[in-house]
Amino acid sequence: MNYRIEDLKNTWQFPFNKSKEIIKDIFSIIQKYAKDDILKKYRDYIKKNTFKEDYPFNIFELISDTYYKENFHSDIIAKLLEHETVLKYFLDFIDVDASKYLNNNYSVVREENKIDILIKTDTNCIIIENKLNWAKDMKEQLSRYYNDCLKNNLEPEVIYLSPNTLKQPTPQSIGNIPKEKIKIIYGYDGEDEDFYTKVIENSLNDFIKNNEAKEWILLAEHYLKILRETGVTKMDKLTQDFYNEIINNTDEYEKIKLIADMYNNLIVTRINNLVSKFQGDNWKNECFYKDFESKKRGLNYAIAIYLDNDYYWFNLFSRGEDTGDDPKLIKKLEQDNKDIKAWLKKHNLFDDTFYFDGRWSKEFKFPQQEKELYDFTEKVIQLLEKEVESICSK
């Protein structure tokens, strides 16, 4: 059944059976737009944008006051292009015959005749104009570089390195350069057809595979993260594709907006479901909590379940006094944590728990592990209601 938008707006006022039909109709919209190929791209985005480093720092972020500058990027890129592996992938990416440069005494120079990066041999050259940081095209900039190379008896190719599709060379800058002699490439476009993937990432994979010197591995790995921050990142390209679909299906826009609104309210719904199930409380729409008084210890033990869009975090802890620097209170808190750990182990509840910020915690993925969370929480609450006094060891 295809409900009108007026029906969808009032989903929660319908009797349950009709509400279920409306939700089913909404899910048919999701299936229409979130197809398998789109989901694959989305997962790729998530993977690429949860960048994990093996190093405790990023060398370029340590000098973050300079890495936004154009010269910084050009210096790093020029250095990387000195390595034949990087140059090989770069030449493949821009579709230039590698034999013109590899094994042909090529050199990579900076700021020769004001050209950002120049790769050259005795007969050929590649002009790289770096615009990763949105610098404006100067008057006749590209055509001047191109003609200067011709005057020096070099056959030039022009590469315009742009942050994304919104940044294009201006006609006045291009001038009389033949169309086939200029190519626009993107630093990071959110897809796989970019300098990030085709050149730096592929080179890094080869470096690791071939046990290249660690300096090259570190340089490439750390620069990937910085390069990613210059262009169209995360969801931009997917959102553009989604926009194009919506323009052709305007009648479904409000239905999709309803899905987004319900998703945004899902955390509150999940917290309130926990409150209803376990008779606890909702703290500022951030977590569910429930307290258990211990007369023996003279304070409450508590459960708190925090959540975000993708996870639950179950916490068990004691509501001890503010310890400050008081060694006696600190010792009491440490003993509480030991007692809770021993209690969880006693009841075979300690597996996969971890200690974080003064609490024993356990993680559950939403929605896949929601039933496990509920079962675990129910068991803990039943035990606390029955024998909370057994936690304290004194």
Side-chain angles (χ1 to χ4, degrees):
M1 186 178 295
N2 189 20
Y3 288 95
R4 296 173 296 114
I5 191 63
E6 288 76 13
D7 295 334
L8 290 168
K9 285 179 178 177
N10 297 297
T11 297
W12 307 116
Q13 277 68 55
F14 284 111
F16 179 69
N17 60 338
K18 195 172 183 180
S19 177
K20 281 184 68 175
E21 291 182 28
I22 293 172
I23 297 300
K24 185 177 179 180
D25 188 57
I26 290 172
F27 268 78
S28 71
I29 298 173
I30 296 173
Q31 292 164 3
K32 177 178 179 179
Y33 289 100
K35 298 175 184 176
D36 288 344
D37 60 330
I38 298 298
L39 285 173
K40 182 180 184 303
K41 288 183 179 180
Y42 173 68
R43 292 184 185 115
D44 288 343
Y45 281 121
I46 297 301
K47 183 178 179 181
K48 189 168 282 188
N49 285 284
T50 52
F51 198 88
K52 294 182 179 179
E53 295 176 287
D54 293 328
Y55 307 99
F57 62 90
N58 186 292
I59 54 174
F60 300 137
E61 289 179 337
L62 291 178
I63 50 174
S64 58
D65 58 329
T66 62
Y67 80 68
Y68 67 90
K69 296 177 181 177
E70 180 181 336
N71 285 345
F72 173 84
H73 285 279
S74 295
D75 287 341
I76 300 301
I77 293 169
K79 183 62 181 177
L80 286 166
L81 286 169
E82 290 179 8
H83 198 291
E84 285 196 359
T85 296
V86 182
L87 181 63
K88 177 178 72 70
Y89 278 114
F90 179 68
L91 295 173
D92 287 344
F93 181 42
I94 64 175
D95 197 24
V96 167
D97 183 359
S99 66
K100 291 181 178 180
Y101 295 91
L102 295 176
N103 302 316
N104 202 15
N105 295 320
Y106 79 91
S107 61
V108 182
V109 293
R110 288 272 290 118
E111 295 295 340
E112 183 171 301
N113 296 324
K114 297 186 178 179
I115 297 172
D116 284 338
I117 303 170
L118 186 66
I119 306 171
K120 65 177 183 176
T121 65
D122 291 338
T123 55
N124 298 285
C125 71
I126 299 171
I127 299 164
I128 302 176
E129 178 56 28
N130 173 21
K131 298 296 184 182
L132 286 175
N133 285 291
W134 296 87
K136 292 182 178 179
D137 289 2
M138 304 300 288
K139 184 179 179 181
E140 300 177 347
Q141 186 176 27
L142 298 178
S143 60
R144 280 191 288 109
Y145 298 162
Y146 182 83
N147 290 320
D148 284 346
C149 289
L150 287 176
K151 290 175 184 177
N152 290 321
N153 298 315
L154 295 174
E155 184 62 33
E157 306 271 353
V158 178
I159 302 301
Y160 193 85
L161 179 54
S162 169
N164 63 43
T165 56
L166 299 178
K167 176 64 175 171
Q168 299 289 316
T170 59
Q172 64 83 21
S173 178
I174 295 173
N176 64 346
I177 301 175
K179 186 176 181 180
E180 67 273 12
K181 289 293 186 179
I182 183 169
K183 183 170 184 177
I184 304 166
I185 64 173
Y186 304 106
Y188 180 74
D189 67 359
E191 295 284 286
D192 290 329
E193 296 297 321
D194 53 20
F195 183 71
Y196 177 105
T197 304
K198 292 295 188 181
V199 182
I200 308 301
E201 192 169 58
N202 284 342
S203 298
L204 175 60
N205 290 336
D206 275 12
F207 287 167
I208 295 171
K209 179 181 177 181
N210 298 323
N211 294 315
E212 184 58 77
K214 63 181 179 181
E215 291 82 2
W216 286 105
I217 294 175
L218 185 143
L219 183 64
E221 192 168 46
H222 283 207
Y223 185 58
L224 276 176
K225 186 176 182 182
I226 301 304
L227 179 60
R228 192 183 59 194
E229 295 172 1
T230 66
V232 179
T233 60
K234 301 180 181 176
M235 296 296 292
D236 293 357
K237 182 60 169 60
L238 278 180
T239 304
Q240 180 64 44
D241 292 343
F242 180 62
Y243 166 80
N244 294 336
E245 289 278 352
I246 290 299
I247 289 301
N248 296 320
N249 295 277
T250 55
D251 58 321
E252 293 185 345
Y253 173 69
E254 283 199 80
K255 295 180 184 180
I256 292 165
K257 185 174 181 294
L258 173 63
I259 295 170
D261 289 343
M262 288 192 293
Y263 176 77
N264 290 335
N265 287 321
L266 199 55
I267 286 178
V268 176
T269 299
R270 288 159 59 197
I271 293 173
N272 289 336
N273 284 347
L274 288 165
V275 171
S276 176
K277 172 68 176 176
F278 299 117
Q279 302 303 303
D281 292 286
N282 178 339
W283 186 76
K284 297 182 178 180
N285 289 334
E286 292 182 17
C287 79
F288 158 86
Y289 71 94
K290 187 177 178 73
D291 279 58
F292 303 84
E293 182 183 9
S294 170
K295 293 180 179 179
K296 181 178 179 182
R297 174 65 179 87
L299 49 67
N300 288 357
Y301 293 101
I303 288 173
I305 301 176
Y306 287 84
L307 51 162
D308 67 9
N309 291 331
D310 299 313
Y311 286 94
Y312 290 99
W313 289 277
F314 177 97
N315 297 271
L316 179 60
F317 58 100
S318 66
R319 292 195 185 277
E321 307 91 335
D322 182 9
T323 60
D325 295 325
D326 189 324
K328 291 184 179 179
L329 294 179
I330 292 173
K331 188 173 181 179
K332 283 184 179 181
L333 179 61
E334 290 174 346
Q335 186 59 52
D336 284 345
N337 291 328
K338 291 178 181 178
D339 289 345
I340 292 170
K341 179 179 179 180
W343 187 84
L344 288 169
K345 285 187 171 183
K346 173 185 174 182
H347 294 288
N348 298 316
L349 297 169
F350 191 71
D351 288 352
D352 299 322
T353 59
F354 56 94
Y355 187 72
F356 178 74
D357 199 24
R359 303 177 177 196
W360 287 104
S361 302
K362 187 177 177 74
E363 182 179 272
F364 298 86
K365 189 169 178 58
F366 176 79
Q368 293 92 330
Q369 294 180 302
E370 179 165 287
K371 185 179 184 306
E372 292 178 42
L373 167 79
Y374 271 70
D375 291 346
F376 183 84
T377 303
E378 184 173 32
K379 186 171 183 179
V380 172
I381 288 176
Q382 287 175 350
L383 287 167
L384 288 171
E385 288 175 339
K386 183 180 179 180
E387 52 176 272
V388 66
E389 302 294 2
S390 68
I391 296 179
C392 183
S393 61
K394 71 177 182 179

